[in-house]
């Protein structure tokens, strides 16, 4: 959680391509925040409220520090979240709150965690934008198949990177739970407003 991985950079760049018109006023939940790059990007692009989540308290502290260093500490907050379908006693869970978009970068590396990730996406009841890196042969094809078998709708999106690891090994997915709201179209336009140095 203390490094920016290729999937995080690809997700951030794609978010920038969607532009402020898409993110402005949105309530955004980030899964597996790590350094907080996705959350900071959403806030810089005009999101009204962003919650960076992870299970590791040290990671959450780092994400909070990076949000403050990038001038969006008032928009980005952090909270612990264990994946899976929340039980009835979880009224204070981040998943019990209202969100417009869920984001996550490189949260699919552990195949054993896929079922609870899918439950989390379903419980959020809004479109989820994921970046995933191909670390093993056919991993992303298996991921897409597993998401569809879990009843999720998956739309593959081209990477905004034109060459290198981000173009060859990282894919983006819009994922939706059954009967969930649809992701609205958005204009393109790379704004490049976020610096990733120092995170």
């Amino acid at each position: 959680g203390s490094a920016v991985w290729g999937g995080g950079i690809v997700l951030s760049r794609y978010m920038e391509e969607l532009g402020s018109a898409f993110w402005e006023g949105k309530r955004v939940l980030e899964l597996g925040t790590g350094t907080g790059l996705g959350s900071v990007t959403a806030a810089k692009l005009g999101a009204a409220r962003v919650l960076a989540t992870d299970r590791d308290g040290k990671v959450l502290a780092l994400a909070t520090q990076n949000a403050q260093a990038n001038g969006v500490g008032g928009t980005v907050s952090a909270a612990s979240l264990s994946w899976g379908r929340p039980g009835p006693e979880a009224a204070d869970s981040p998943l019990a709150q209202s969100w417009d978009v869920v984001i996550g970068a490189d949260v699919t590396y552990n195949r054993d965690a896929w079922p609870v990730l899918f439950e989390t996406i379903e419980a959020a009841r809004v479109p989820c934008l994921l970046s995933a890196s191909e670390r093993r042969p056919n991993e992303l094809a298996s991921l897409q198949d597993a998401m569809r078998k879990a009843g999720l709708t998956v739309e593959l999106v081209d990477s905004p990177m034109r060459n290198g690891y981000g173009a060859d090994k990282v894919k983006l997915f819009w994922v939706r739970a059954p009967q969930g709201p649809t992701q609205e179209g958005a204009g393109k336009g790379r704004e490049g407003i976020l610096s990733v140095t120092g995170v």
Side-chain angles (χ1 to χ4, degrees), residues 5 14 26 35-36 65 108 118 130 147 161:
W5 299 99
Y14 179 71
K26 293 276 196 304
T35 62
Q65 179 183 351
T108 61
F118 302 161
L130 296 179
M147 287 191 283
M161 312 303 270

Side-chain angles (χ1 to χ4, degrees), residues 42-104:
K44 287 274 195 178
L45 289 167
R49 177 174 180 241
V50 184
L51 183 63
T53 67
D54 207 290
R55 289 188 309 175
D56 187 327
K58 290 181 181 178
V59 168
L60 293 173
L62 176 62
T64 299
Q65 179 183 351
N66 284 329
Q68 291 169 349
N70 278 279
V72 292
T75 303
V76 177
S77 56
S80 179
L81 175 65
S82 294
W83 293 352
R85 195 171 287 113
E89 72 286 351
D92 59 345
S93 165
L95 292 173
Q97 300 171 32
S98 294
W99 304 103
D100 298 304
V101 183
V102 173
I103 60 173

Side-chain angles (χ1 to χ4, degrees), residues 1-188:
S2 61
V4 177
W5 299 99
I9 294 170
V10 170
L11 177 67
S12 179
R13 287 282 176 85
Y14 179 71
M15 291 170 69
E16 289 178 353
E17 284 199 355
L18 287 175
S20 296
F22 178 84
W23 295 101
E24 192 166 348
K26 293 276 196 304
R27 297 163 299 176
V28 180
L29 174 67
E30 183 178 21
L31 305 177
T33 191
T35 62
L37 178 60
S39 291
V40 170
T41 302
K44 287 274 195 178
L45 289 167
R49 177 174 180 241
V50 184
L51 183 63
T53 67
D54 207 290
R55 289 188 309 175
D56 187 327
K58 290 181 181 178
V59 168
L60 293 173
L62 176 62
T64 299
Q65 179 183 351
N66 284 329
Q68 291 169 349
N70 278 279
V72 292
T75 303
V76 177
S77 56
S80 179
L81 175 65
S82 294
W83 293 352
R85 195 171 287 113
E89 72 286 351
D92 59 345
S93 165
L95 292 173
Q97 300 171 32
S98 294
W99 304 103
D100 298 304
V101 183
V102 173
I103 60 173
D106 278 329
V107 293
T108 61
Y109 61 89
N110 179 0
R111 184 183 294 257
D112 293 338
W114 288 0
V116 289
L117 172 61
F118 302 161
E119 288 179 3
T120 304
I121 292 169
E122 188 174 350
R125 302 175 310 277
V126 296
C128 178
L129 177 60
L130 296 179
S131 69
S133 299
E134 183 115 53
R135 292 180 173 84
R136 293 169 286 277
N138 301 314
E139 181 177 13
L140 297 183
S142 297
L143 173 64
Q144 289 181 78
D145 186 53
M147 287 191 283
R148 288 188 176 109
K149 285 181 178 175
L152 300 172
T153 302
V154 183
E155 177 189 348
L156 183 64
V157 179
D158 289 335
S159 170
M161 312 303 270
R162 298 298 165 242
N163 51 53
Y165 182 85
D168 300 335
K169 296 290 185 182
V170 181
K171 301 297 180 203
L172 291 154
F173 303 94
W174 275 110
V175 184
R176 297 173 192 86
Q179 300 177 345
T182 59
Q183 179 251 344
E184 298 175 12
K188 294 210 172 193

